Amino acid sequence: ADPATVEMLVEELSSPDDLRVLYAIDMLATLDKRQLRTPLLLRHDSPAVRARALRTLDPARWSALGAWTAAAVERMLGDENADVRAAAMQALAVVRREEASTLMQRYLDDPEPRVAATAAVVLADSGGGVDETAAEATLSALINDSREAAAPARREAAAALARVRNPRFRRLLVPL
């Protein structure tokens, strides 16, 4: 953890090579230097970097980072990458000091299918009967909307089901 090593790791955070950035994020966390990571990582081109940056944000620093970071994380709920969306939901739960399932329940009715499907994935594997039932209802609604305009929502539901480990949800693949 000498200053030269820490400085080199901070410089690596700006690399276009996502593997180098991921390594720097992990090493700074290992050295307990999380505060040296920049919130700008939330805008990195690599979805893996954005997701890792979200997962490793220090909740104690959120108030110091201000509303900009919270707004950036909320925008990430609509990210194209499912891992980033899931990490954003988890980060918001931590920031808002809410139970993850309570926060996810609110997003099940989101008009953006990506957001609703991501919330359903988190709840589907939560182990809670009520949460699983709500997740199943949301995914079923997305799947059963047979309008042509709803095709993207069905694709989101299919992609979401690929991420669910709970065997209860496998039967939802049949209508797709």
Side-chain angles (χ1 to χ4, degrees):
D2 64 277
T5 301
V6 172
E7 183 179 340
M8 186 263 316
L9 289 170
V10 170
E11 287 174 11
E12 288 297 314
L13 294 175
S14 63
S15 173
D17 181 352
D18 58 335
L19 294 177
R20 292 173 75 163
V21 177
L22 291 170
Y23 178 78
I25 290 170
D26 291 343
M27 288 305 297
L28 288 168
T30 299
L31 296 172
D32 200 26
K33 301 285 185 186
R34 286 183 175 94
Q35 75 278 7
L36 297 177
R37 291 180 321 226
T38 173
L40 294 175
L41 290 173
L42 300 178
R43 295 184 180 266
H44 197 278
D45 289 340
S46 167
V49 170
R50 292 192 308 271
R52 182 83 51 89
L54 284 165
R55 280 192 224 96
T56 58
L57 277 174
D58 183 0
R61 289 195 64 229
W62 276 77
S63 58
L65 295 173
W68 177 87
T69 304
V73 172
E74 282 202 45
R75 277 192 306 277
M76 294 175 84
L77 293 174
D79 195 278
E80 289 184 23
N81 184 277
D83 289 334
V84 173
R85 292 191 306 266
M89 285 194 177
Q90 295 294 340
L92 281 177
V94 170
V95 168
R96 294 179 178 168
R97 292 180 172 81
E98 289 185 57
E99 195 64 35
S101 66
T102 303
L103 180 67
M104 298 307 126
Q105 288 278 345
R106 286 200 304 261
Y107 285 109
L108 289 175
D109 295 325
D110 196 278
E112 173 60 49
R114 287 180 183 169
V115 174
T118 301
V121 168
V122 173
L123 291 174
D125 290 328
S126 69
V130 173
D131 290 342
E132 289 176 5
T133 301
E136 185 175 9
T138 296
L139 290 172
S140 291
L142 293 171
I143 290 167
N144 293 324
D145 187 349
S146 59
R147 296 174 299 138
E148 183 66 32
R154 289 191 300 277
R155 279 192 293 278
E156 288 298 331
L161 286 170
R163 300 173 49 81
V164 174
R165 294 181 307 268
N166 187 336
R168 169 182 176 177
F169 287 78
R170 290 188 185 127
R171 65 183 181 77
L172 293 177
L173 291 170
V174 174
L176 287 168

